[in-house]
Amino acid sequence: MAAKKAKPGPAGKTLGSKKSWQGRLTADADAATAEFVSSLDVDRAMWKYDIIGSIMHAQMLSEVGILTKRELATIRRGLMSIADDIGADKLDMPVELEDIHMVIEKALIVRPGAAGAKLHTGRSRNDQVALDLRMWARDAAYDLVQGIVELQRALVGLAERQGEIVMPAYTHLQRAQPILAGHAVLAYVEMLQRDADRLADARRRINVCPLGSGAVAGTSLPLDRNRSAKLLGFDSVARNSIDATSDRDFLAELCFACATLAVHLSRWAEDWVIYSSTEFGFIELHDAYCTSSSMMPQKKNPDTLELIRGKAATAIAQLVGMLTLLKGLPLAYNRDLQDDKRFALAAVRPMMQSLAVAAGIAGTARFRAEHIAETLDAGYLDATALAEYLVGKGVPFRQAHHIVGSLVARAAAAGKPLAKLPLDELRAASDLIGPDVYKHLGAANVVKRYAPQGAAGPKQLRRQLNFWRKKLA
Ligand code: ARG
């Protein structure tokens, strides 16, 4: 787009002109510059926080005697009617006003009552923007946790419905050991729990009130910062005005939590993309979460999973962007910080969408038990269990590992699973092997024997399901 060529104009004297707000400056920016310095396109999304923050700031100002009750009432009424207008998409937001904070304050000043011009007492946009961001981030962390819980519930539901199906576990994407399907599903529930915990932990550092820090040094006016913090639901008041107005590590943490969540979701999505392929055929996705091809009529593509997997790129990019924005900034507020919102919003929004779609996918997918069973004999999933059988007979594990290795080679040459080798052939490798060995071979038999905590058998699955049912209730 070509830059707009409007020339800088002389400052107007009315409130319609930006420069009436701008202290010593005497010229308005040209249109392209006005658009460049504006953050309205992103921070308009934070209008509710700005209104609430302003109402509570005014409340505190009146309680300490800086505003009269009457002035407070006018300001509150004005801000409420502005909220109505914004809600109805009726408030004009000229880009020249720079940001949502100026838009709302200007709208208040031109409303009847004449107290609007007192609202900004003891406040700067620097602490105001930090306040709005913290209130937004606090809600975002809460919403993300709710989204995570919904997905966890859907996954636990699947583990309850079909968790007892025996399937292969993979390492290096090669068949490793048999497991219950529920165990694999609940592995993701664990990861998601840490993501939720990380958000809850980040919220503790988010929920500190910067209001009253002013532009950088605080103010000489007798503000009651504890009162503002309490009115706005903060746990504490920021100790240092310079730090409070200029750091955004709380947003970086939020971005990190989103990036880690996105990475977990991408791993889950990748697993299920693989599982839903013809080659694996482990999972059937509901048609509602798949798309076909414009050319190949037979196609059922797991696009939603692929998009969830792809969102990790966006999430990681926002974290890198946020940290890069903060790197090397001198104290205190610098205008660079205006772009923090772009990263934070772009980190949170796609995660909210991913979580909602993922919950739908997990809630409607089903494991293809018959198909999984058909190939369960392939890949010698029971080899480790056979070595452990020998350990039970007194053979040192290293030796047992070697014996079973030779048996697997023999079985593979004959094109058979271990359970199909006759006893004398098994005994040729170790005469400690007895007829009871067949109760230890075969994926289903192996899985039943996984008893210790954290193992992939039925006892631990029940235990995990009990835990999650209670936790997510
Ligand atoms: N729009 C700015 C932001 O979002 C607020 C302006 C703050 N202060 C300033 N001195 N220009 O960060």
Side-chain angles (χ1 to χ4, degrees), residues 93-154:
M93 298 195 185
V95 85
E96 292 71 25
L97 290 180
E98 272 190 34
D99 54 32
I100 192 66
H101 324 292
M102 292 296 226
V103 164
I104 291 173
E105 194 188 342
K106 185 208 155 188
L108 182 68
I109 289 175
V110 299
R111 256 155 235 234
K118 291 193 172 182
L119 172 65
H120 212 52
T121 308
R123 187 176 76 167
S124 155
R125 268 183 303 159
N126 296 353
D127 59 344
Q128 188 179 0
V129 74
L131 172 72
D132 293 5
L133 276 170
R134 282 176 184 270
M135 287 197 287
W136 170 82
R138 185 167 78 174
D139 281 357
Y142 178 85
D143 293 345
L144 284 164
V145 170
Q146 297 315 301
I148 289 173
V149 168
E150 286 309 313
L151 174 55
Q152 285 179 307
R153 286 192 180 132

Side-chain angles (χ1 to χ4, degrees), residues 39 43 98-99 101 125-126 129 248 333 335 337-338 341:
S39 52
D43 60 27
E98 272 190 34
D99 54 32
H101 324 292
R125 268 183 303 159
N126 296 353
V129 74
R248 297 289 188 265
Y333 178 88
R335 193 62 177 269
L337 290 174
Q338 174 164 296
K341 287 166 278 298

Side-chain angles (χ1 to χ4, degrees), residues 52-74:
I52 295 165
S54 288
I55 289 177
M56 295 312 182
H57 177 64
Q59 170 77 31
M60 179 278 293
L61 289 177
S62 88
E63 288 178 18
V64 299
I66 294 176
L67 292 180
T68 64
K69 288 236 157 63
R70 207 196 175 91
E71 287 167 335
L72 170 64
T74 328

Side-chain angles (χ1 to χ4, degrees), residues 111-395:
R111 256 155 235 234
K118 291 193 172 182
L119 172 65
H120 212 52
T121 308
R123 187 176 76 167
S124 155
R125 268 183 303 159
N126 296 353
D127 59 344
Q128 188 179 0
V129 74
L131 172 72
D132 293 5
L133 276 170
R134 282 176 184 270
M135 287 197 287
W136 170 82
R138 185 167 78 174
D139 281 357
Y142 178 85
D143 293 345
L144 284 164
V145 170
Q146 297 315 301
I148 289 173
V149 168
E150 286 309 313
L151 174 55
Q152 285 179 307
R153 286 192 180 132
L155 289 168
V156 169
L158 176 63
E160 267 167 345
R161 285 193 300 281
Q162 294 195 288
E164 302 273 343
I165 293 171
V166 180
M167 68 178 256
Y170 294 80
T171 64
H172 312 269
L173 208 55
Q174 305 292 325
R175 290 193 165 214
Q177 289 180 289
I179 53 165
L180 291 184
H183 198 62
V185 171
L186 294 182
Y188 283 106
V189 178
E190 294 283 346
M191 294 177 217
L192 290 166
Q193 187 57 44
R194 289 194 296 280
D195 293 326
D197 291 348
R198 241 184 299 280
L199 285 160
D201 190 59
R203 191 184 186 279
R204 293 195 300 124
R205 283 174 293 281
I206 291 170
N207 208 27
V208 176
C209 189
L211 195 60
S213 298
V216 58
T219 169
S220 58
L221 296 166
L223 304 188
D224 184 348
R225 293 195 56 204
N226 284 313
R227 180 66 181 145
S228 317
K230 187 149 190 261
L231 287 167
L232 289 162
F234 285 94
D235 297 329
S236 61
V237 167
R239 268 188 300 272
N240 184 304
S241 62
I242 299 177
D243 174 49
T245 49
S246 68
D247 205 355
R248 297 289 188 265
D249 56 352
F250 66 97
L251 287 183
E253 274 193 67
L254 185 63
C255 290
F256 175 72
C258 286
T260 313
L261 168 64
V263 166
H264 286 153
L265 292 178
S266 79
R267 296 187 58 200
W268 166 73
E270 168 69 354
D271 265 346
W272 281 27
V273 166
I274 293 173
Y275 289 175
S276 64
S277 67
T278 306
E279 284 66 20
F280 271 72
F282 284 6
I283 272 194
E284 184 75 36
L285 300 174
H286 194 284
D287 278 4
Y289 297 99
C290 297
T291 51
S292 195
S293 154
S294 58
M295 184 172 176
M296 301 168 282
Q298 86 285 11
K299 292 285 275 179
K300 176 175 173 180
N301 295 328
D303 290 35
T304 49
L305 287 170
E306 294 164 62
L307 282 163
I308 289 171
R309 185 176 59 190
K311 294 291 177 211
T314 306
I316 293 166
Q318 305 320 310
L319 172 61
V320 173
M322 179 66 76
L323 289 171
T324 311
L325 187 74
L326 300 180
K327 183 201 164 293
L329 278 189
L331 291 177
Y333 178 88
N334 295 274
R335 193 62 177 269
D336 314 42
L337 290 174
Q338 174 164 296
D339 277 344
D340 56 4
K341 287 166 278 298
R342 294 182 200 281
F343 296 118
L345 287 168
V348 170
R349 267 185 200 143
M351 283 308 103
M352 290 303 301
Q353 291 176 309
S354 285
L355 286 167
V357 174
I361 296 172
T364 53
R366 62 170 192 92
F367 280 102
R368 297 177 61 195
E370 343 65 50
H371 199 269
I372 295 172
E374 270 166 32
T375 59
L376 208 54
D377 275 348
Y380 303 99
L381 294 166
D382 47 4
T384 308
L386 178 54
E388 286 170 357
Y389 166 83
L390 285 168
V391 167
K393 304 277 176 188
V395 182

Side-chain angles (χ1 to χ4, degrees), residues 392-464:
K393 304 277 176 188
V395 182
F397 180 77
R398 229 355 110 213
Q399 221 171 304
H401 185 278
H402 184 74
I403 294 169
V404 176
S406 71
L407 281 171
V408 167
R410 188 186 294 224
K416 291 179 183 168
L418 287 169
K420 289 275 154 63
L421 291 181
L423 188 58
D424 55 338
E425 252 181 83
L426 291 168
R427 284 178 62 84
S430 165
D431 56 12
L432 291 169
I433 296 178
D436 61 335
V437 72
Y438 294 105
K439 279 190 257 150
H440 293 252
L441 294 177
N445 284 333
V446 174
V447 160
K448 275 187 224 142
R449 289 181 191 277
Y450 293 137
Q453 260 195 43
K459 184 167 164 218
Q460 295 303 332
L461 179 61
R462 276 194 296 277
R463 196 174 157 166
Q464 292 180 73

